[in-house]
Amino acid sequence: QVQLVESGGGLVQPGGSLRLSCAPSGFILKYYTVYWFRQAPGKAREGVSCISYRTGRTIYVDDVKGRFNISRDNEQDTVVLQMNNLKPEDTAIYYCATDLAYRTTCNSDWRLTNDYWGQGTQVTVSS
């Protein structure tokens, strides 16, 4: 019954902002490390950000540093990806994921072992 649901995607102009949310079903997300990935048409899946359970450490892919921020809302038991100054190259389907085998820390090489994914939410940045 483990499930993740992403929300908050949409169409935005370059320079705009979106706030994505990842919500769990069947488990308590605040006790797990959570990742955001994205996949653009014709490109491989790319790790975007991660927030660890054990330490709260966050990591970001270089292209989004200074523009994106990952955080937790523990009252809602969600993980948020705040995306600012969006660029056309940010256009992709965004997925959240967690790793039940290594739930306490972020894996810097973005490789997951026992992973659970949401269905994705579309982000389109265009004028």
Side-chain angles (χ1 to χ4, degrees), residues 42-95:
K43 295 185 177 181
R45 187 182 66 191
E46 176 188 30
V48 177
S49 187
C50 177
I51 184 166
S52 78
Y53 162 64
R54 175 171 287 176
T55 67
R57 178 193 177 211
T58 59
I59 62 172
Y60 301 89
V61 69
D62 285 345
D63 289 347
V64 310
K65 289 180 179 177
R67 300 190 297 120
F68 291 10
N69 180 254
I70 189 169
S71 62
R72 294 184 187 270
D73 183 339
N74 285 337
E75 290 189 357
Q76 297 288 99
D77 196 27
T78 59
V79 170
V80 168
L81 185 68
Q82 177 67 45
M83 306 187 297
N84 300 315
N85 192 24
L86 283 161
K87 304 175 180 179
E89 52 263 43
D90 296 318
T91 295
I93 301 174
Y94 284 71
Y95 302 89

Side-chain angles (χ1 to χ4, degrees), residues 2-59:
V2 172
Q3 187 175 343
L4 293 168
V5 178
E6 303 95 337
S7 62
L11 175 64
V12 66
Q13 294 183 353
S17 297
L18 286 172
R19 184 179 176 92
L20 306 185
S21 182
C22 177
S25 179
F27 67 105
I28 301 173
L29 192 62
K30 68 180 180 180
Y31 297 136
Y32 290 83
T33 293
V34 178
Y35 299 77
W36 285 95
F37 291 82
R38 65 186 180 187
Q39 188 164 26
K43 295 185 177 181
R45 187 182 66 191
E46 176 188 30
V48 177
S49 187
C50 177
I51 184 166
S52 78
Y53 162 64
R54 175 171 287 176
T55 67
R57 178 193 177 211
T58 59
I59 62 172

